[in-house]
Amino acid sequence: MNAYEEYMKQMVKPMRDQLTTEGFQSLETPEEVENYFNEVNDDKTTFVVVNSVCGCAAGLARPAAVAVATQNDHKPDATVTVFAGQEREATEKMREYIGQEPSSPSMALFKGKELVYFMPRLHIEGRHVEEIAMDLKDAFDEHCK
């Protein structure tokens, strides 16, 4: 690993930890993403956060994701994350499963391998964290029973 890569790894560590310390599994290679989805059964719900270094990820997406994933009555069976701009290949593989235009940050909810909800950056940036959390809560309440 060169000096730049090491610097970036250390710089994003707190941003990654904001999710992983709350139980999100960090998928850092395309193989980890693929293996995860190969093991998912049709009834399992998975909440995915495509993390990034931007301000809307820090102040809006991650706080809303953590609050709803840990506090809502209806929770997904699993929470995972990929980090756009850091693990590019893993993020690209996750985006293949999501099947939407690339968007960072973004959040997705799967039932098995089927995408049942997607929140792109467009629906994160410029909103209040409570509004984002309520949208996630509604998606969890509908799909995570």
Side-chain angles (χ1 to χ4, degrees):
M1 184 177 301
N2 66 38
Y4 172 77
E5 290 169 335
E6 183 60 34
Y7 170 77
M8 289 304 296
K9 182 178 178 182
Q10 291 307 312
M11 187 182 91
V12 303
K13 185 178 181 334
M15 299 171 209
R16 185 185 316 277
D17 290 351
Q18 192 174 359
L19 295 174
T20 58
T21 59
E22 296 295 338
F24 283 75
Q25 178 184 354
S26 183
L27 303 176
E28 299 180 13
T29 67
E31 295 79 19
E32 288 177 354
V33 173
E34 204 162 280
N35 290 340
Y36 178 83
F37 279 103
N38 284 339
E39 296 174 10
V40 170
N41 67 45
D42 290 343
D43 295 327
K44 184 175 183 175
T45 53
T46 303
F47 179 48
V48 177
V49 175
V50 178
N51 202 352
S52 75
V53 297
C54 69
C56 63
L60 301 170
R62 289 192 301 265
V66 167
V68 179
T70 60
Q71 298 172 18
N72 197 49
D73 289 340
H74 297 107
K75 295 177 181 67
D77 297 310
T79 54
V80 301
T81 183
V82 293
F83 208 120
Q86 300 306 301
E87 291 85 36
R88 289 185 172 101
E89 294 85 7
T91 302
E92 181 63 33
K93 179 56 77 176
M94 181 61 75
R95 287 177 172 154
E96 289 176 19
Y97 284 97
I98 292 172
Q100 303 289 317
E101 286 292 316
S103 184
S104 304
S106 62
M107 295 178 267
L109 184 63
F110 288 87
K111 181 106 176 183
K113 294 177 186 160
E114 177 188 357
L115 179 71
V116 295
Y117 179 79
F118 182 67
M119 181 182 290
R121 178 186 181 117
L122 174 68
H123 295 160
I124 296 169
E125 192 172 34
R127 296 180 69 205
H128 294 284
V129 70
E130 296 83 7
E131 295 171 317
I132 297 164
M134 287 306 296
D135 287 351
L136 293 173
K137 178 189 182 327
D138 290 345
F140 286 11
D141 288 350
E142 180 179 347
H143 300 287
C144 301
K145 296 180 181 183

